[in-house]
């Protein structure tokens, strides 16, 4: 961080305990890439999108510098605005580096904000296209919105057995994961408790293939 630059917290990569473990697993599994950012006023969120775009096109942690070409998306929430929080949700079935809208989004994003972004490397047999791109937004019963980007592979049949809502056939596992999490959030009223409950059920059913 340059002297005088506003504090910015960033997290980018797979959900693993340590950086060394993350690099080894990323090479082996070829998983998607995630970016999460909370930026105070004066930060430049567009530069993080540029870094993610470069990683999507040529990922140094994939064999032979492979790519994540199965779509991408982001969700950004503005903070401390006069009119209240505003949500920007964008999804594309194109590889991020081929999407001309990236430059437009970089201009639209202004700190302070909270943002998640995801570049997809689809699991074998999973649908592709804009409908399968992350993040997924799920309406909550109290009028809220849960936005989820997930990394890994979960059993579709296992998730369908855990969901009460009616969902259309052919959905990707990550969307079903988001719906299952939303249902548990509505019941628990706390995101940490909802995550703990959901993952306990997933582990009990051995529904997690990789995460």
């Amino acid at each position: 961080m340059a002297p005088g630059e506003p504090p910015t917290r960033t997290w980018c990569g797979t959900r693993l305990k340590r950086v060394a473990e993350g690099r080894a697993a990323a090479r082996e599994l070829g998983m998607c890439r995630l970016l999460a950012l909370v930026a105070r006023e004066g930060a430049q969120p567009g530069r993080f999108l540029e870094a993610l775009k470069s990683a999507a096109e040529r990922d140094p942690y994939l064999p032979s510098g492979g790519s994540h070409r199965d779509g991408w998306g982001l969700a950004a929430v503005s903070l401390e605005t006069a009119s209240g929080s505003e949500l920007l949700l964008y999804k594309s079935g194109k590889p991020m580096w081929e999407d001309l809208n990236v430059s437009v989004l970089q201009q639209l994003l202004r700190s302070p904000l909270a943002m998640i972004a995801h570049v997809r490397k689809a699991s074998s047999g999973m649908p592709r296209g804009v409908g399968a791109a992350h993040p997924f937004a799920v309406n909550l019963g109290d009028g809220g919105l849960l936005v989820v980007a997930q990394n890994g592979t979960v059993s579709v049949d296992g998730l369908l057995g855990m969901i009460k809502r009616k969902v259309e056939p052919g959905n990707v596992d990550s969307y079903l994961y988001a719906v299952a999490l939303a249902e548990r959030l509505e019941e628990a009223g706390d995101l940490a408790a909802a995550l703990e409950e959901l993952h306990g059920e997933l582990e009990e059913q051995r529904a997690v293939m990789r995460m």
Side-chain angles (χ1 to χ4, degrees):
M1 181 181 297
E5 183 178 343
T8 300
R9 294 186 293 162
T10 62
W11 301 264
C12 185
T14 56
R15 296 174 53 194
L16 299 169
K17 293 181 180 179
R18 296 181 299 180
V19 172
E21 293 174 351
R23 290 176 177 173
R27 291 191 186 98
E28 180 182 353
L29 299 176
M31 299 171 80
C32 306
R33 294 292 175 261
L34 292 163
L35 165 69
L37 171 70
V38 178
R40 296 183 180 180
E41 188 171 358
Q44 299 177 12
R47 66 179 182 172
F48 294 99
L49 277 190
E50 193 66 30
L52 185 63
K53 183 176 73 172
S54 297
E57 183 174 14
R58 186 172 178 82
D59 190 333
Y61 298 136
L62 288 180
S64 304
S67 61
H68 303 265
R69 60 173 55 253
D70 299 317
W72 81 284
L74 68 81
V77 179
S78 61
L79 305 174
E80 302 176 2
T81 61
S83 58
S85 296
E86 298 173 346
L87 172 67
L88 171 63
L89 179 63
Y90 177 84
K91 297 169 61 164
S92 171
K94 298 178 180 179
M96 187 178 182
W97 65 92
E98 294 181 1
D99 191 346
L100 299 179
N101 288 324
V102 172
S103 59
V104 177
L105 292 164
Q106 288 174 312
Q107 296 176 28
L108 289 174
L109 294 172
R110 292 287 183 272
S111 57
L113 60 70
M115 178 178 74
I116 56 173
H118 181 281
V119 290
R120 186 167 183 249
K121 187 174 180 64
S123 300
S124 176
M126 287 292 174
R128 289 168 169 77
V130 64
H134 301 219
F136 297 99
V138 183
N139 291 317
L140 300 173
D142 62 0
L145 192 68
L146 176 67
V147 181
V148 177
Q150 180 262 347
N151 195 1
T153 305
V154 185
S155 167
V156 169
D157 290 338
L159 285 166
L160 285 172
M162 298 165 56
I163 292 174
K164 299 176 183 177
R165 298 189 190 189
K166 182 178 179 180
V167 295
E168 296 296 327
N171 282 299
V172 294
D173 58 339
S174 298
Y175 171 72
L176 300 175
Y177 174 92
V179 173
L181 180 59
E183 290 183 346
R184 282 145 187 81
L185 177 57
E186 288 175 331
E187 295 173 358
D190 178 79
L191 183 56
L195 279 166
E196 184 176 358
E197 179 183 350
L198 175 57
H199 281 261
E201 294 178 50
L202 290 172
E203 291 176 9
E204 183 178 343
Q205 296 189 23
R206 299 184 179 179
V208 177
M209 301 175 184
R210 59 180 186 176
M211 186 172 287

